[in-house]
Coordinates of all heavy atoms in Angstrom, one line a residue:
N353 N 115.9 96.7 96.0 CA 115.1 97.7 95.4 C 114.4 98.5 96.5 O 114.0 98.1 97.5 CB 114.0 97.1 94.5 CG 114.5 96.2 93.4 OD1 115.5 96.5 92.8 ND2 113.9 95.0 93.2
E354 N 114.2 99.8 96.1 CA 113.4 100.7 97.0 C 111.9 100.6 96.5 O 111.6 100.6 95.3 CB 113.8 102.2 96.9 CG 115.2 102.4 97.3 CD 115.3 102.3 98.9 OE1 114.2 102.4 99.5 OE2 116.4 102.2 99.4
L355 N 111.0 100.4 97.5 CA 109.6 100.3 97.1 C 108.8 101.5 97.6 O 109.0 102.0 98.7 CB 109.0 99.0 97.8 CG 109.6 97.7 97.5 CD1 108.9 96.6 98.2 CD2 109.7 97.4 96.0
E356 N 107.9 101.9 96.7 CA 106.9 102.9 97.1 C 105.8 102.2 98.0 O 105.5 101.0 97.7 CB 106.2 103.6 96.0 CG 107.1 104.6 95.2 CD 106.3 105.4 94.2 OE1 105.4 104.9 93.7 OE2 106.7 106.6 94.0
P357 N 105.3 102.9 99.0 CA 104.2 102.3 99.7 C 103.0 101.9 98.8 O 102.6 102.7 98.0 CB 103.8 103.3 100.7 CG 104.9 104.3 100.8 CD 105.5 104.3 99.4
A358 N 102.5 100.7 99.0 CA 101.3 100.3 98.3 C 100.1 101.1 98.9 O 100.0 101.2 100.2 CB 101.0 98.8 98.4
V359 N 99.2 101.6 98.1 CA 98.2 102.4 98.6 C 97.3 101.6 99.6 O 96.8 102.2 100.6 CB 97.3 103.0 97.5 CG1 96.5 101.9 96.7 CG2 96.4 104.1 98.0
G360 N 97.1 100.3 99.4 CA 96.3 99.6 100.3 C 96.9 99.5 101.7 O 96.1 99.6 102.7
A361 N 98.2 99.3 101.7 CA 98.8 99.3 103.1 C 98.8 100.7 103.7 O 98.5 100.8 104.9 CB 100.3 98.8 102.9
A362 N 99.0 101.7 102.9 CA 99.0 103.1 103.5 C 97.6 103.4 104.0 O 97.5 104.0 105.1 CB 99.5 104.1 102.4
L363 N 96.6 103.1 103.2 CA 95.3 103.4 103.7 C 94.9 102.5 104.9 O 94.2 103.0 105.8 CB 94.3 103.1 102.5 CG 92.9 103.7 102.6 CD1 92.3 104.1 101.3 CD2 92.0 102.6 103.2
G364 N 95.2 101.2 104.8 CA 94.9 100.4 106.0 C 95.5 100.8 107.3 O 94.9 100.8 108.3
T365 N 96.8 101.3 107.2 CA 97.5 101.8 108.4 C 96.8 103.0 108.9 O 96.6 103.2 110.2 CB 98.9 102.1 108.1 OG1 99.6 100.9 107.6 CG2 99.7 102.6 109.3
S366 N 96.3 103.8 108.0 CA 95.7 105.1 108.4 C 94.3 104.8 109.1 O 94.0 105.4 110.1 CB 95.4 106.0 107.2 OG 96.7 106.2 106.5
V367 N 93.5 103.9 108.5 CA 92.2 103.6 109.0 C 92.4 102.9 110.4 O 91.7 103.2 111.4 CB 91.5 102.7 108.1 CG1 90.2 102.1 108.7 CG2 91.1 103.4 106.8
H368 N 93.5 102.1 110.5 CA 93.8 101.5 111.8 C 94.0 102.5 112.9 O 93.6 102.3 114.0 CB 95.0 100.6 111.6 CG 95.3 99.6 112.7 ND1 95.8 100.0 113.9 CD2 95.1 98.3 112.7 CE1 95.9 98.9 114.7 NE2 95.5 97.9 114.0
S369 N 94.7 103.6 112.5 CA 94.9 104.6 113.5 C 93.6 105.3 114.0 O 93.4 105.5 115.2 CB 95.9 105.7 112.9 OG 97.1 105.2 112.6
G370 N 92.7 105.5 113.0 CA 91.4 106.0 113.4 C 90.6 105.1 114.3 O 90.0 105.5 115.2
A371 N 90.7 103.8 113.9 CA 89.9 102.8 114.7 C 90.5 102.7 116.1 O 89.7 102.6 117.1 CB 90.1 101.4 114.0
A372 N 91.8 102.9 116.3 CA 92.4 102.8 117.6 C 91.9 104.0 118.5 O 91.6 103.8 119.7 CB 93.9 102.8 117.5
M373 N 91.7 105.2 117.9 CA 91.2 106.3 118.6 C 89.8 106.0 119.1 O 89.4 106.3 120.3 CB 91.1 107.5 117.7 CG 92.5 108.2 117.5 SD 92.3 109.7 116.5 CE 91.2 110.7 117.6
L374 N 89.0 105.4 118.3 CA 87.6 105.1 118.6 C 87.5 104.1 119.7 O 86.7 104.2 120.7 CB 86.8 104.6 117.4 CG 86.6 105.7 116.3 CD1 86.1 105.0 115.0 CD2 85.7 106.8 116.7
L375 N 88.4 103.0 119.7 CA 88.4 102.0 120.7 C 88.9 102.6 122.0 O 88.4 102.2 123.1 CB 89.3 100.9 120.2 CG 88.8 100.0 119.1 CD1 89.9 99.2 118.4 CD2 87.6 99.1 119.6
Q376 N 89.9 103.5 122.0 CA 90.3 104.1 123.2 C 89.2 105.0 123.8 O 89.1 105.0 125.1 CB 91.6 105.0 122.9 CG 92.3 105.5 124.2 CD 92.9 104.3 125.0 OE1 93.6 103.5 124.5 NE2 92.5 104.3 126.3
E377 N 88.5 105.7 123.0 CA 87.4 106.5 123.5 C 86.4 105.6 124.2 O 85.8 105.9 125.3 CB 86.7 107.3 122.4 CG 85.6 108.1 122.8 CD 84.8 108.7 121.7 OE1 84.9 108.2 120.6 OE2 84.1 109.8 121.9
K378 N 86.1 104.4 123.5 CA 85.1 103.5 124.1 C 85.6 102.9 125.5 O 84.9 102.9 126.5 CB 84.9 102.3 123.2 CG 84.0 101.2 123.7 CD 82.6 101.7 124.0 CE 81.7 100.6 124.5 NZ 81.4 99.5 123.5
K379 N 86.9 102.6 125.6 CA 87.5 102.2 126.8 C 87.4 103.2 127.9 O 87.1 102.9 129.1 CB 88.9 101.7 126.6 CG 89.6 101.2 127.9 CD 91.0 100.8 127.6 CE 91.7 100.3 128.9 NZ 93.1 100.0 128.7
D380 N 87.7 104.5 127.5 CA 87.8 105.5 128.5 C 86.4 106.1 129.0 O 86.3 106.4 130.1 CB 88.6 106.7 128.0 CG 90.1 106.3 127.8 OD1 90.6 105.3 128.3 OD2 90.7 107.1 127.0
T381 N 85.5 106.1 128.1 CA 84.2 106.8 128.4 C 83.0 105.9 128.3 O 81.9 106.2 128.7 CB 84.0 108.0 127.4 OG1 83.7 107.4 126.1 CG2 85.2 108.9 127.4

């Protein structure tokens, strides 16, 4: 079967990307 993305996974991945940006900023600055 083809599955549509579960909104929880889609949202979690997105938030994860934002968190990575913040952590990189903390490491760099």
Side-chain angles (χ1 to χ4, degrees):
N353 303 318
E354 296 289 344
L355 302 183
E356 285 189 331
V359 67
L363 192 146
T365 302
S366 307
V367 170
H368 194 282
S369 299
M373 282 185 64
L374 296 168
L375 289 163
Q376 190 65 52
E377 181 188 23
K378 175 65 178 295
K379 180 182 178 184
D380 293 342
T381 70

